Amino acid sequence: MKKIIQLILNFVIAFILLGCSSEVTVQYESANFTKITYTYDKKTDVITKFKIENRTEVPDEEEAEKVKQFFKELELLDGIKTTASEKYLIVDTSLEIDLKVLKYSDMKKSFVPAIRNLAEYFLDGDKDNATYGKTSRLIIARKFVQRKK
């Protein structure tokens, strides 16, 4: 009986925690079909992760391999997940950054130029945190359009 009550309490607590989640996901797309997905905490306006998906045509197999290798190397950094695949000289890439692990402030001063550029081009905020309010204005100014999920 005690285990049943404990199990019920665990379900109730899990339901409350999931119901109280204030994370929101928003997606933007550019004219060249680059997709950016931001996940942020609605209460604090802090972006917790973002993902960039892109499709690029490359001139040859050698260039495709360079792109795939670059993304593989980026994944060695904490807080970054990547994918890169090629078919018929079209390279599909995906880069997801967990901003709870790799802070916005750390991205801005990263020794990897690509990470600094991502922070500058796709994020805006204060000190350690990228904020959705500032970032959404920045990304719209860069001609991205919000998509409904």
Side-chain angles (χ1 to χ4, degrees), residues 103-110 115-116 119 125-127:
K103 295 283 187 196
Y104 171 61
S105 58
D106 294 334
M107 288 179 67
K108 292 189 299 185
K109 57 186 178 189
S110 174
I115 300 300
R116 287 194 313 269
D126 305 311
K127 297 181 183 173

Side-chain angles (χ1 to χ4, degrees), residues 41-59:
D41 185 311
K42 195 171 185 176
K43 291 178 185 173
T44 62
D45 194 43
V46 172
I47 298 173
T48 55
K49 66 181 168 182
F50 80 103
K51 181 178 185 176
I52 302 170
E53 299 169 277
N54 196 16
R55 175 170 276 185
T56 307
E57 188 172 343
V58 292

Side-chain angles (χ1 to χ4, degrees), residues 47-109:
I47 298 173
T48 55
K49 66 181 168 182
F50 80 103
K51 181 178 185 176
I52 302 170
E53 299 169 277
N54 196 16
R55 175 170 276 185
T56 307
E57 188 172 343
V58 292
D60 54 40
E61 289 289 331
E62 184 178 329
E63 191 65 28
E65 285 305 314
K66 285 180 185 177
V67 172
K68 291 191 296 187
Q69 184 60 37
F70 175 74
F71 274 78
K72 190 180 287 189
E73 289 172 7
L74 279 179
E75 194 166 55
L76 297 174
L77 300 172
D78 286 340
I80 296 180
K81 295 179 187 173
T82 66
T83 63
S85 61
E86 179 264 333
K87 187 174 185 179
Y88 306 119
L89 299 179
I90 305 288
V91 180
D92 289 317
T93 57
S94 165
L95 178 134
E96 185 174 330
I97 298 180
D98 183 343
L99 292 170
K100 293 176 185 175
V101 177
L102 180 59
K103 295 283 187 196
Y104 171 61
S105 58
D106 294 334
M107 288 179 67
K108 292 189 299 185
K109 57 186 178 189

